[in-house]
Amino acid sequence: GAQDGSDWANALSGLPSVLERDTVYWLGAGNYGSYTFDDRASGQMGITVRKATAQAHGGDTGWNATYGNGQAVFGPLNFTANRYTLDGGEPNGIRTVGQMGTKATVRAAGSYLVFRHVEIDGGLRKSNGTQTAGGCNGSNVKGDYVVFDRCEVHNIADDGLGIYADHVKVLYSKIHDLHGCGTDSRCSGPCYNGHSDGLELSGVSDIELVGNMVYDVNSTAAIFMEDFGRGGISNLVAYNNVFYTPTTGITVYLKDLNGARIHNNIIWGKTQGNRYGGLAIGKSVTDLEMYNNIMLNINYSHLGARYDPSQHKLDYNLFGMINSGEYQANTNDLVGNPQFAGIPMSSNAADHKGSDLTLEAFTTAAAQVIDTGTTPGGIPAYDIVGKD
């Protein structure tokens, strides 16, 4: 038709180079290439780019059901301006794929961005220990007030989400299959290093992590935090998450952190005697609360710190093991086998590869933790699958 975007019979041939504020752009299934979102601001008016589905597609004139089938696939995306919503519909109707050597498949330099039902695929490919395709990180977040809602980040050479800005929320998303492929690992390639962190935090405040699953991380951790000269981390909220690294013992690193509420999570790494812990707590960690978590154990010695009961308020947690010289059980803590239904308990790393955990399928069968938690001060009274 006229290709003026007035309806599906006259659809645009692709996203125009300049987008209009206060406008929704509906996408049919197909390939759209790379794109930079750099449109001039107009007050607080935003722009929404949304995958059309059979249930919601903006209008019926010229609509064909095939437009709703499949994904709208992009190359790397670059957000340099503010106030965009990228909505893939349900489930994950928008997919963005990394290209060789790009630092991030999604570069979120703008503020007030929302990514909903978006699949961020690093596109990693390897041959004989050398990276042959794909970007380095899933997304680097350098703008404030960014939300990832029900997204999937996977097949990444380095980090899933690098968070270097304030007021960021990661909600009900999956981050998995991070391969640790970089300049100092067995897999050579253009990426910065051979460490892979599901979530890397540095110099940020007001971060909210709710209902996520971070798993199949080759190295180093599901969460890694460090000031890197940016300053510490403050005001972290993390509840109802599963953090699982099958080939490393330490799953979460807490360092340079002031003010954290970590409740109702599973923090589990490779079971390997008492060498490492599921959680490592370092120096300069203050005002920490941890209740109702299932953890392998807590290691203070790895980062040269000590348990401080005046700053570290831990209780009502289940530990797989308690090691000598590390955190010891508090009054209401439990020690035992959590009897996971969805996480292998074997110390054999080969048993953990290719996991495909889902929020719906993940449960624990541990009778000893039922009705043993606590819920004061805003701690959720439900678990990751919404059960009391």
Side-chain angles (χ1 to χ4, degrees):
Q3 296 188 6
D4 60 8
S6 56
D7 53 38
W8 288 103
N10 298 284
L12 296 163
S13 60
L15 280 179
S17 59
V18 178
L19 305 180
E20 296 182 14
R21 292 283 168 179
D22 198 27
T23 300
V24 178
Y25 293 85
W26 295 89
L27 302 177
N31 295 311
Y32 289 84
S34 300
Y35 194 89
T36 295
F37 295 84
D38 57 359
D39 304 285
R40 181 179 299 179
S42 179
Q44 296 185 2
M45 289 193 296
I47 295 171
T48 296
V49 177
R50 186 173 179 184
K51 173 63 173 62
T53 65
Q55 293 74 27
H57 46 262
D60 292 330
T61 301
W63 170 255
N64 186 309
T66 61
Y67 302 159
N69 297 332
Q71 294 176 306
V73 181
F74 288 87
L77 299 179
N78 186 16
F79 290 81
T80 60
N82 301 336
R83 301 187 185 279
Y84 293 92
T85 295
L86 193 65
D87 188 345
E90 190 174 356
N92 292 351
I94 293 178
R95 179 184 177 212
T96 174
V97 183
Q99 294 177 352
M100 184 66 173
T102 53
K103 290 185 177 179
T105 301
V106 175
R107 180 174 178 265
S111 297
Y112 297 98
L113 307 178
V114 176
F115 302 96
R116 181 175 295 117
H117 290 299
V118 175
E119 178 185 354
I120 301 174
D121 181 354
L124 179 68
R125 298 291 183 271
K126 297 183 290 183
S127 177
N128 296 323
T130 299
Q131 180 179 351
T132 59
C136 295
N137 300 323
S139 180
N140 287 344
V141 181
K142 297 186 177 181
D144 297 335
Y145 297 97
V146 175
V147 177
F148 294 88
D149 177 16
R150 289 163 288 176
C151 294
E152 182 173 9
V153 183
H154 67 107
N155 198 22
I156 308 294
D158 199 347
D159 300 327
L161 300 179
I163 300 175
Y164 313 113
D166 300 336
H167 305 286
V168 175
K169 296 183 179 183
V170 185
L171 311 174
Y172 306 102
S173 296
K174 293 173 65 176
I175 302 173
H176 62 99
D177 288 290
L178 311 182
H179 296 276
C181 181
T183 55
D184 66 351
S185 74
R186 295 179 180 178
C187 170
S188 62
C191 297
Y192 178 68
N193 60 43
H195 298 280
S196 287
D197 302 314
L199 297 154
E200 181 178 274
L201 281 63
S202 179
V204 296
S205 65
D206 300 296
I207 306 300
E208 187 173 323
L209 311 174
V210 178
N212 303 290
M213 301 191 71
V214 184
Y215 63 96
D216 279 359
V217 177
N218 193 39
S219 70
T220 291
I223 297 179
F224 186 85
M225 56 183 63
E226 180 73 74
D227 62 15
F228 294 124
R230 300 171 182 266
I233 296 96
S234 61
N235 298 332
L236 170 70
V237 173
Y239 62 84
N240 286 354
N241 301 284
V242 173
F243 301 122
Y244 172 51
T245 57
T247 62
T248 61
I250 292 180
T251 302
V252 173
Y253 287 78
L254 302 182
K255 298 189 292 183
D256 306 303
L257 173 63
N258 176 45
R261 309 291 175 262
I262 301 175
H263 308 309
N264 299 14
N265 302 284
I266 291 168
I267 302 172
W268 204 264
K270 181 181 178 182
T271 305
Q272 45 190 5
N274 61 2
R275 183 181 177 192
Y276 292 114
L279 172 71
I281 297 180
K283 298 178 181 179
S284 303
V285 175
T286 58
D287 191 19
L288 169 67
E289 287 186 2
M290 295 190 69
Y291 299 118
N292 303 344
N293 300 285
I294 298 177
M295 294 180 282
L296 182 58
N297 66 330
I298 296 180
N299 189 313
Y300 277 90
S301 61
H302 185 72
L303 298 175
R306 292 185 177 181
Y307 172 58
D308 183 350
S310 68
Q311 295 294 335
H312 305 163
K313 301 175 177 61
L314 294 83
D315 206 356
Y316 294 92
N317 300 295
L318 172 68
F319 294 93
M321 62 180 70
I322 296 282
N323 293 330
S324 175
E326 298 179 352
Y327 173 79
Q328 303 300 300
N330 213 328
T331 305
N332 300 290
D333 288 327
L334 300 171
V335 181
N337 185 337
Q339 302 174 11
F340 290 121
I343 294 179
M345 295 294 294
S346 170
S347 61
N348 182 2
D351 293 343
H352 302 260
K353 289 304 193 180
S355 302
D356 190 21
L357 307 180
T358 65
L359 289 174
E360 294 75 19
F362 184 82
T363 61
T364 63
Q368 67 265 38
V369 301
I370 296 175
D371 295 330
T372 62
T374 183
T375 57
I379 299 174
Y382 50 89
D383 63 17
I384 193 170
V385 292
K387 295 182 179 179
D388 294 337

